[in-house]
Amino acid sequence: MGAGKHAGKILILAEDACAYPGADATGQGHMSYSADTYILRVKASVLFPEQFYLDCFSKGIAGIIIMSCGAETPYPGAYEALARRIDRVYVLMKERGLDIRRLRLTAICTVCTRAFLKEVQQMQDLVCQLGAPGSEAAAAPAGAAKALQEQ
Amino acid sequence: MAQKKKPALAPEPTPGGKVGVYVCHCGGNISDAVDVEQVCAQARRVPGVVVARDQMFMCSDPGQEMIIEDLKSGLVDRVVVASCSPSLHESTFRNALLRAGANPYVYEHANLREQVSWVHHGPEATAKATRLVAAAAAKAARLKPLEPIRVEVQPRALVIGGGVAGMKAALELAARGQAVVLVEKSPFLGGQVAQLQELAPEGETAAAVISELAGAVLGHPAVTVYTCAQVEGFEGYIGNFKLKVVRKPPLGATYADRLEKLSKSGQGLGEYVPFVGVMPATIPESPEDFDLEAGVVVLATGMRPYQPRPGEYAYKNFPEVVTLPEFIRLQAEAEGEGDTLMLHGRPIRGAALIHCVGSRQIPGIHAENEGGYLNEYCSRTCCAATLYAANLIRDRYPQTKIFDFYRDIRTYGRGQEELYTQAAASQVVFFRFEAGEEPQVLKNPDPQGPPLLVQVKDVLTFGEELEVPVDLVVLAVGQEPNNIAGLVQQMKIPIGADRFLQEVHPKLRPVEMSVAGILLAGTCQAPFDVGETCAAAGAAAVKAAAILARGFVELDPFVAEVDLSKCTGTGACVEACLADGALSLVDLEVAGQKVRRARVNPVMCLGCGACVAVCPENAINVQGWTLKQFESMVDLIVSDEYLEGA
Amino acid sequence: MGSRQNRRFDALVLGGGIAGLEAALNLAEQNFAVAVVEKDASIGGKMIRLSKVFPTLDCSSCITTPKMAAAAHHPNIALFTYCEMQTLERRGEDLVAGILQKSRYVDVEKCIGCRQCEYQCPVLVPDAEQGGFAARKAIYIPFSNAIPQKALIDTDNCILCGRCAKVCPTQAVNYFEQPEEFHLTAAAAVIATGFEAIPLEDKVQYGQGRIPNVITALQMERLLAPHGPYNRVLRPYDGMEPDSIAFIQCAGSRDQSLGVPYCSRVCCMYAIKEAMLLSGALPLADIAIYYMDIRAFGKGYEQFYQTAQAMGVNFVKGKAAYLDPGENGAVRVRYESQEATGGVQVAEHDLVVLSLGLVPAWDPQGRCLLSTGGDKFIKTVKPKTAPTLTDLEGVFVAGAAAGPKDIVDSIAEAGAAAMEASRYLSKQ
Ligand SMILES: Cc1cc2nc3c(=O)[nH]c(=O)nc-3n(C[C@H](O)[C@H](O)[C@H](O)COP(=O)(O)OP(=O)(O)OC[C@H]3O[C@@H](n4cnc5c(N)ncnc54)[C@H](O)[C@@H]3O)c2cc1C
Ligand code: SF4
Ligand code: SF4
């Protein structure tokens, strides 16, 4: 799997109980993926406010994959709260003319190596296609582009 | 949704800590793909980093010594190790910090093996490694020393329920030297087992089992037993539960027949009486209550047999239709020898046993029970108990024929399949029915014949409609949880769709409730037989024993913390909190002014950070995982400033 | 792991499966020093080799690895892997275990689990950890989530080419390593040696492993595992995607003439589970389960069974008596039907999975004075009030070592055994 052209960095929020070990398993299998991916180890992604995602995009992160534990989270209720938040982030992204596919909520388990690779590859393909965050805003209504600039 | 604009995003130039970066070659595993020296060189340009060194094996003694020396000399006060996955060596390096006399939490790990050298190659591997190290350094610079949260534990366990599970759990704890208070609602110890006689599959007697357990419980100086007692007040948290126990005379005639049996038996207090149990103390004359502190609570509130609706399999329509527990009692009291079972002077030449009554109910096929629910679960114990009864009758009364109507025979356990084989060998006649095609129990139209007729479409004869005249129908009723709505509400503990108490996770934390310090034992969790109940009680007791024996609980310091300089008391965090009681608004005096502010109860906090996301001031954070730390990590990941040639 | 000196502990746990680990953790949490002795090169037992687990369908590795790691990092637990217990005897107050450390030919103190040796090794052999469907090297780390992550050499297949020794960055490979015997002493012990499936080779009526596309349920677990051998479900014989899959229940159980008169207790549920996972992986495939009784007795199990029925898994009441090879790699199943008009019926399937009977993994005979029951599993002497008590003082039993048992029940018994053992220890 080649890295493709350098279209921008992908940030992965990998929850400690499942996706982080899943990424480790991918590494142990020497299954290569784009080097433009950066994994943040988190306890629960429900910690991050809407603004965090928007800030990441304005800092130049081209895509974010939240790799949660899904319903198997050790924090009862956290996944539902996270899913509701991500819906709100999507609204805010649209307002700013950001393609909402740049943010993806998934569940990855400790041995989900193939799912991990697939998610990374899909995001990589997407950011290659979309370019830097905000570049799609040029095609979007002017107001949205302006909103992004103000970030 | 309107979003407040955040204060400046600019990274702070000097975050405080003196960070040491230690990069491992992993004997080539990392250094073959990553230019380790270059990573070090670039890391030195990251704000806050005072030293960056490399080593062939960081986890080796020389590697660890290198870190310890830098800490001891005061050169560094924050540590980043960049090596393999933290799952392998994070604890190794935290321990190294401890050995250097430092706080183990001023440590951050960068994963250069699983996340870089094993998955990327060429110059981009080195660049990514550098960015990960820089991000880790940015977080490390913002780490604060943390102390584990220590909660003292009241040296006492409260066990609720005086059946087999409660008694077994109490005994185990007492044997480990812990003080136990056992609270039982009825005047008796022994629970449902006292309503039985011989226990499948081995045939131990209920008398022996209860006498053993109750005798030991009552004889143990560390166990205090309160009968006719209930928990009516509950507050606190693990280690420090405060409970109110009320003893009062039972309502009306609830236990009249058992009390009568007891007085007729001529047995005294503390002695086992069949179908009664063991009564350890007299019934209180008037209500009395007292307060109790306990470090842990074990719930052992047990089950009750399913009570068929009138008309279900003609129950209550005909006196000859009885439940299995009713039959066990009738049979125990049956008189006469002979080779035919006699009940109330009536010979039983043929008896039908029907499985799965009140169990394995299927939505759309079976009618809902009175409360509007279905018992979809299998009650686990009735197959073996029914076959045991069948064999017992065939053995003692060879002239009494047994007809067994089942859906699946579930003799799964040790010694149980033998019951099934034995039943077949002793000419128990089996009929198999499908869900929704339950046998019908009717009045036998033939006045000369036995009183009842059982009609069934039998799978074993490929769907033949058969009619079996019998003198008795025994319904193998399932188990239902006892009604403990009061406790459930006070303790805020979850019950499942099956109405049994719901553990946190069936494999990871099978005897724990979501409220820390509350454990569950026995059939309040799910149907079990006596042996399984005692195993479950032991499993609950061992968790309780660990908490009590240590005398304190140490919890991860990764919990929410309020920054009072920023908190404006909006209460958004309280609303978002996922753990009941972890966050609240309290009145405080700040600079002479009365204000409302968020306060964390660290014992209840799960550290998930649901609160962090909603605070408009970022006044609440999870220690060790703050939003600022994450933001600075992202800043360093996107920055090019420390890269050579930048 | 330390040098193999004769060491003293409060308790020994024999077997590092889920029952053993749970027992060890419960003892260690009460501040007892515990030694876990495991005959395999990794702890984790059968559970770490499963795909997903009933009835919650969570990934087995996700549930097992946290317990494995907790045991490996616990200050009160010492792991002795690749160690076989040869004797266990009571000497006064003490239980003394004779242990054989088998040779890994790799110094575990030096090995850093980097797998360089594995990459260099030129020998490929079928990997039993992947049901024999994938290959591994002659020097290898048992599997991706093994603990400890240390290599070992399979001497049956090693050709002594020397490449691994040359490439190892820590010079950990030692072709001359000798097995070592040592003693562990403790006051109490928990036996958690688990189960094995009866070998397919013993089963004439199921073709003794000679009929292509007849596999065991444990092999199916590997095919279904997220990190399995093919990354999808294919039949091993020709790599075809099977359209019709059958499970044969009670294959060797509940039948005196087949040697296992008792019920193996977990096969109904794992067959239902595997069937459900298969219908996810191969949505168009027909899946049949041939059974006598479905024993879905545990918490949530009956509901799980009903869900499988609703998903379209075909439950066929009938005892499969005989298997024959059919056309194009198909398997012919001859069974006595309890349905429709009954009688002996024949059906063809692309792939047949056997739910083989389970037998004890360890026989104490000749090694220690523990008694076994008629079923050869460790005998318990007070099955009602103290279900983990054996007839050897200070020795307790947990999990499948005392009869086939699912994970939930094994964990409960492990807690109970740890409780009995700690109570015994505090009497001392
Ligand atoms: C195909 C299949 C699928 C299953 N699926 C599920 C499922 O989905 N859900 C579920 O709940 N259960 C399932 N089970 C059952 C589950 O595997 C068992 O409940 C569980 O493994 C029992 O754990 P244990 O620790 O008692 O035994 P084991 O897992 O067998 O562990 C015993 C350990 O002891 C070691 N050992 C043996 N002898 C010695 C010795 N002499 N010295 C040192 N060590 C020794 C063994 O190597 C092993 O590591 C399944 C079983 C099978 C066969
Ligand atoms: S144990 Fe037997 S009788 Fe009881 S509910 Fe389960 S299948 Fe029915
Ligand atoms: S971190 Fe989670 S549990 Fe703790 S107070 Fe915040 S929301 Fe509640």
Side-chain angles (χ1 to χ4, degrees):
Chain A
M1 216 174 292
K5 70 176 177 13
H6 288 260
K9 296 188 171 60
I10 297 169
L11 190 71
I12 296 177
L13 306 179
E15 294 189 0
D16 208 15
C18 35
Y20 195 89
D24 275 353
T26 313
Q28 277 164 17
H30 293 247
M31 300 181 229
S32 116
Y33 51 90
S34 163
D36 266 340
T37 44
Y38 294 87
I39 296 175
L40 288 189
R41 178 182 176 203
V42 306
K43 271 160 67 78
S45 332
V46 71
L47 176 140
F48 297 99
E50 289 81 345
Q51 192 63 37
F52 175 83
Y53 302 98
L54 301 175
D55 287 348
C56 284
F57 291 125
S58 49
K59 287 172 188 175
I61 298 286
I64 304 176
I65 313 174
I66 304 171
M67 295 191 174
S68 75
C69 304
E72 281 161 31
T73 166
Y75 312 101
Y79 183 68
E80 292 74 13
L82 171 65
R84 285 195 296 274
R85 171 153 316 110
I86 297 312
D87 284 341
R88 288 196 295 274
V89 179
Y90 284 148
V91 173
L92 296 170
M93 286 175 71
K94 276 188 205 149
E95 281 174 15
R96 284 157 180 74
L98 284 165
D99 192 309
I100 62 166
R101 289 172 299 168
R102 289 186 187 275
L103 173 62
R104 209 164 129 70
L105 174 57
T106 60
I108 296 285
C109 83
T110 53
V111 287
C112 281
T113 51
R114 268 168 292 137
F116 177 92
L117 290 177
K118 195 179 109 212
E119 290 297 343
V120 172
Q121 185 61 46
Q122 281 175 354
M123 187 56 85
Q124 167 75 5
D125 291 347
L126 181 83
V127 299
C128 277
Q129 179 199 328
L130 291 180
S135 56
E136 69 268 47
K146 189 152 166 279
L148 186 77
Q149 238 88 98
E150 277 167 12
Q151 278 303 302
Chain B
M1 192 200 244
Q3 281 287 315
K4 256 202 198 167
K5 246 191 114 183
K6 271 273 167 126
L9 277 172
E12 316 123 277
T14 41
K18 293 182 281 181
V19 182
V21 170
Y22 303 89
V23 187
C24 182
H25 291 245
C26 196
N29 273 294
I30 293 173
S31 50
D32 285 352
V34 171
D35 182 341
V36 168
E37 271 107 47
Q38 200 190 351
V39 172
C40 284
Q42 300 186 112
R44 292 185 195 108
R45 302 167 58 171
V46 173
V49 173
V50 293
V51 62
R53 306 180 195 275
D54 63 299
Q55 238 285 339
M56 186 51 83
F57 296 109
M58 215 38 134
C59 56
S60 64
D61 276 346
Q64 296 193 39
E65 276 311 312
M66 187 158 114
I67 301 173
I68 292 175
E69 260 170 47
D70 283 353
L71 281 164
K72 280 193 173 158
S73 73
L75 179 62
V76 307
D77 58 12
R78 301 286 187 276
V79 173
V80 170
V81 173
S83 61
C84 50
S85 165
S87 70
L88 294 166
H89 279 309
E90 188 178 47
S91 57
T92 312
F93 295 118
R94 284 203 199 279
N95 280 328
L97 265 70
L98 268 178
R99 278 188 284 129
N103 183 289
Y105 294 99
V106 294
Y107 173 80
E108 181 64 14
H109 201 103
N111 185 344
L112 299 195
R113 196 174 77 178
E114 279 78 352
Q115 285 181 20
V116 183
S117 63
W118 277 355
V119 287
H120 311 308
H121 308 282
E124 53 182 35
T126 302
K128 175 170 172 181
T130 308
R131 289 186 196 276
L132 289 182
V133 167
K139 175 167 180 185
R142 287 164 180 80
L143 284 171
K144 287 194 309 185
L146 300 174
E147 295 300 330
I149 300 158
R150 202 182 144 110
V151 186
E152 301 299 320
V153 169
Q154 288 292 333
R156 185 180 299 108
L158 173 71
V159 177
I160 306 181
V164 165
M167 291 195 288
K168 176 73 179 171
L171 274 180
E172 297 283 29
L173 287 168
R176 288 282 287 132
Q178 304 300 339
V180 184
V181 171
L182 191 153
V183 169
E184 162 62 46
K185 184 175 68 173
S186 81
F188 315 103
L189 295 178
Q192 286 298 335
V193 175
Q195 302 303 311
L196 305 174
Q197 245 218 328
E198 289 176 25
L199 304 172
E202 292 93 353
E204 301 91 335
T205 61
V209 165
I210 296 176
S211 304
E212 175 194 334
L213 292 174
V217 162
L218 296 173
H220 205 295
V223 188
T224 315
V225 175
Y226 296 104
T227 47
C228 302
Q230 265 170 285
V231 169
E232 295 199 347
F234 174 90
E235 57 181 82
Y237 46 84
I238 183 169
N240 299 277
F241 293 112
K242 294 186 172 42
L243 304 113
K244 190 166 130 184
V245 176
V246 181
R247 283 197 83 206
K248 56 186 172 200
L251 272 182
T254 326
Y255 302 104
D257 67 326
R258 284 207 246 170
L259 290 168
E260 193 192 317
K261 239 187 175 22
L262 174 71
S263 71
K264 276 202 199 138
S265 73
Q267 304 283 67
L269 292 180
E271 288 174 323
Y272 179 76
V273 179
F275 301 104
V276 174
V278 170
M279 180 152 149
T282 52
I283 291 174
E285 313 240 305
S286 56
E288 51 194 74
D289 63 62
F290 53 94
D291 294 328
L292 190 78
E293 294 191 347
V296 292
V297 175
V298 179
L299 291 171
T301 53
M303 60 87 182
R304 59 180 177 203
Y306 172 79
Q307 198 53 31
R309 288 176 305 249
E312 185 175 1
Y313 293 103
Y315 186 67
K316 298 280 185 215
N317 297 358
F318 308 113
E320 297 88 358
V321 180
V322 297
T323 65
L324 183 59
E326 287 164 356
F327 171 73
I328 287 172
R329 189 151 165 180
L330 283 171
Q331 191 266 325
E333 289 161 1
E335 271 149 40
E337 298 289 285
D339 49 12
T340 307
L341 173 64
M342 301 285 285
L343 294 182
H344 295 310
R346 222 167 41 84
I348 308 295
R349 298 204 172 80
L353 313 180
I354 303 179
H355 290 237
C356 299
V357 178
S359 304
R360 301 184 65 191
Q361 298 170 327
I362 301 174
I365 293 183
H366 296 112
E368 284 177 356
N369 299 310
E370 256 161 51
Y373 54 81
L374 285 168
N375 293 338
E376 295 184 42
Y377 54 86
C378 162
S379 289
R380 185 166 179 149
T381 52
C382 15
C383 274
T386 305
L387 292 177
Y388 188 89
N391 290 338
L392 189 134
I393 298 170
R394 292 297 301 145
D395 191 40
R396 292 194 196 153
Y397 311 103
Q399 291 307 318
T400 300
K401 291 202 171 61
I402 299 290
F403 307 96
D404 184 292
F405 299 78
Y406 73 99
R407 281 169 63 186
D408 294 277
I409 293 285
R410 294 188 165 167
T411 42
Y412 60 88
R414 217 174 179 187
Q416 293 184 356
E417 185 70 7
E418 289 85 333
L419 295 177
Y420 189 18
T421 325
Q422 188 193 338
S426 58
Q427 277 129 35
V428 171
V429 186
F430 286 94
F431 302 86
R432 186 172 198 174
F433 64 92
E434 300 275 4
E437 296 180 344
E438 277 72 20
Q440 301 292 311
V441 180
L442 309 166
K443 189 175 166 53
N444 190 356
D446 175 4
Q448 310 315 147
L452 300 176
L453 195 66
V454 182
Q455 277 182 349
V456 69
K457 192 172 151 202
D458 177 29
V459 174
L460 299 176
T461 52
F462 318 116
E464 213 174 316
E465 306 264 0
L466 300 173
E467 291 187 339
V468 188
V470 290
D471 299 293
L472 180 78
V473 170
V474 179
L475 306 179
V477 292
Q479 304 189 5
E480 288 191 314
N482 268 322
N483 183 357
I484 49 163
L487 285 177
V488 165
Q489 206 184 0
Q490 285 177 55
M491 298 184 170
K492 301 202 179 74
I493 47 178
I495 51 172
D498 55 10
R499 297 175 298 128
F500 287 91
L501 288 173
Q502 188 66 48
E503 66 284 344
V504 176
H505 186 283
K507 299 184 183 73
L508 287 174
R509 292 165 68 192
V511 294
E512 294 168 61
M513 302 255 50
S514 56
V515 179
I518 302 185
L519 303 161
L520 71 180
T523 54
C524 57
Q525 180 177 20
F528 290 127
D529 72 12
V530 175
E532 290 160 348
T533 296
C534 283
V542 83
K543 297 280 181 232
I547 297 169
L548 294 169
R550 206 179 302 120
F552 60 89
V553 242
E554 230 174 354
L555 307 169
D556 260 346
F558 306 131
V559 294
E561 183 195 37
V562 177
D563 180 347
L564 284 178
S565 71
K566 289 186 187 164
C567 179
T568 57
T570 63
C573 54
V574 181
E575 244 171 79
C577 180
L578 300 171
D580 238 325
L583 263 177
S584 55
L585 283 178
V586 293
D587 290 322
L588 285 183
E589 278 236 348
V590 172
Q593 279 201 321
K594 263 201 148 32
V595 287
R596 276 178 91 65
R597 294 289 179 258
R599 176 186 283 167
V600 179
N601 181 345
V603 184
M604 312 290 274
C605 176
L606 306 169
C608 66
C611 50
V612 177
V614 298
C615 180
E617 308 296 334
N618 189 220
I620 190 163
N621 264 296
V622 176
Q623 302 192 68
W625 305 79
T626 69
L627 195 55
K628 262 263 127 24
Q629 288 163 4
F630 283 118
E631 284 172 350
S632 61
M633 290 178 90
V634 176
D635 290 337
L636 271 285
I637 285 171
V638 297
S639 167
D640 290 329
E641 271 165 38
Y642 48 83
L643 292 187
E644 256 150 36
Chain C
M1 261 147 271
S3 66
R4 307 265 160 237
Q5 282 149 17
N6 303 333
R7 288 169 64 182
R8 202 185 169 89
F9 293 88
D10 293 316
L12 295 180
V13 172
L14 186 59
I18 189 63
L21 294 177
E22 183 74 24
L25 284 166
N26 279 320
L27 283 162
E29 279 297 290
Q30 296 184 75
N31 249 340
F32 293 114
V34 187
V36 176
V37 180
E38 167 58 55
K39 75 170 166 40
D40 284 352
S42 169
I43 54 172
K46 294 286 179 304
M47 188 176 169
I48 190 66
R49 280 109 171 159
L50 302 178
S51 55
K52 300 195 170 177
V53 283
F54 61 77
T56 41
L57 282 187
D58 24 36
C59 125
S60 191
S61 163
C62 305
I63 314 283
T64 326
T65 38
K67 299 235 178 183
M68 290 162 68
H73 291 151
H74 204 293
N76 295 336
I77 298 180
L79 298 182
F80 295 87
T81 54
Y82 218 40
C83 280
E84 215 143 281
M85 193 182 75
Q86 305 199 298
T87 54
L88 179 68
E89 59 179 320
R90 190 156 264 297
R91 291 192 200 147
E93 299 276 271
D94 290 338
L95 286 167
V96 181
I99 312 281
L100 175 72
Q101 170 72 64
K102 298 181 272 186
S103 301
R104 297 180 88 114
Y105 304 99
V106 169
D107 182 339
V108 289
E109 297 296 326
K110 290 186 184 159
C111 174
I112 54 167
C114 69
R115 299 183 175 227
Q116 296 297 342
C117 52
E118 238 182 71
Y119 311 141
Q120 290 302 319
C121 174
V123 182
L124 280 173
V125 285
D127 183 2
E129 293 294 357
Q130 292 288 16
F133 301 142
R136 65 152 168 80
K137 298 296 182 67
I139 186 166
Y140 63 107
I141 289 177
F143 43 87
S144 70
N145 37 18
I147 289 185
Q149 282 279 313
K150 307 280 177 188
L152 71 159
I153 294 181
D154 157 12
T155 44
D156 290 345
N157 291 294
C158 169
I159 54 167
L160 277 174
C161 68
R163 292 194 205 182
C164 51
K166 209 177 295 160
V167 74
C168 175
T170 63
Q171 285 87 48
V173 179
N174 172 7
Y175 300 113
F176 306 105
E177 193 181 283
Q178 291 296 315
E180 204 178 328
E181 286 184 25
F182 61 103
H183 284 102
L184 295 176
T185 309
V190 175
I191 308 290
T193 44
F195 68 92
E196 292 295 342
I198 38 177
L200 182 50
E201 290 68 32
D202 290 359
K203 296 284 139 214
V204 182
Q205 65 279 33
Y206 304 129
Q208 297 182 295
R210 289 200 213 104
I211 307 176
N213 299 322
V214 174
I215 65 172
T216 68
L218 273 167
Q219 288 178 308
M220 183 49 94
E221 291 287 333
R222 293 318 306 158
L223 290 181
L224 289 165
H227 49 328
Y230 305 143
N231 289 343
R232 54 205 185 113
V233 180
L234 301 175
R235 46 176 214 189
Y237 170 66
D238 51 8
M240 172 191 137
E241 213 169 71
D243 287 330
S244 146
I245 302 147
F247 288 83
I248 311 289
Q249 296 310 104
C250 305
S253 299
R254 299 181 60 191
D255 191 336
Q256 185 64 65
S257 66
L258 299 179
V260 176
Y262 50 86
C263 163
S264 291
R265 188 162 165 162
V266 290
C267 0
C268 279
M269 286 304 292
Y270 71 59
I272 297 174
K273 167 193 76 178
E274 292 183 358
M276 277 195 182
L277 296 174
L278 275 171
S279 64
L282 305 168
L284 299 177
D286 292 326
I287 302 162
I289 299 183
Y290 294 89
Y291 75 102
M292 298 199 286
D293 298 279
I294 288 293
R295 297 193 162 162
F297 56 83
K299 182 166 184 164
Y301 294 5
E302 175 69 17
Q303 294 91 317
F304 193 74
Y305 168 40
Q306 295 301 335
T307 309
Q309 282 185 302
M311 283 168 73
V313 174
N314 183 18
F315 287 83
V316 184
K317 282 196 198 78
K319 171 119 180 110
Y322 215 82
L323 302 181
D324 285 315
E327 302 272 298
N328 297 327
V331 184
R332 253 199 302 271
V333 178
R334 239 183 298 165
Y335 67 103
E336 272 166 61
S337 172
Q338 270 189 22
E339 292 178 337
T341 54
V344 176
Q345 309 270 347
V346 179
E348 268 205 359
H349 298 278
D350 293 337
L351 181 63
V352 166
V353 186
L354 295 177
S355 296
L356 289 168
L358 304 182
V359 292
W362 183 67
D363 182 359
Q365 219 197 347
R367 298 189 174 98
C368 73
L369 293 173
L370 274 175
S371 304
T372 52
D375 55 8
K376 304 277 188 350
F377 288 94
I378 304 294
K379 182 172 163 180
T380 61
V381 292
K382 279 174 86 178
K384 287 288 176 292
T385 51
T388 64
L389 211 61
T390 72
D391 60 359
L392 192 57
E393 193 193 318
V395 180
F396 308 90
V397 63
K405 214 159 277 133
D406 60 39
I407 296 162
V408 173
D409 291 349
S410 296
I411 291 178
E413 269 188 14
M419 187 71 239
E420 296 277 358
S422 53
R423 166 173 150 163
Y424 180 80
L425 287 169
S426 55
K427 254 197 320 213
Q428 295 267 305

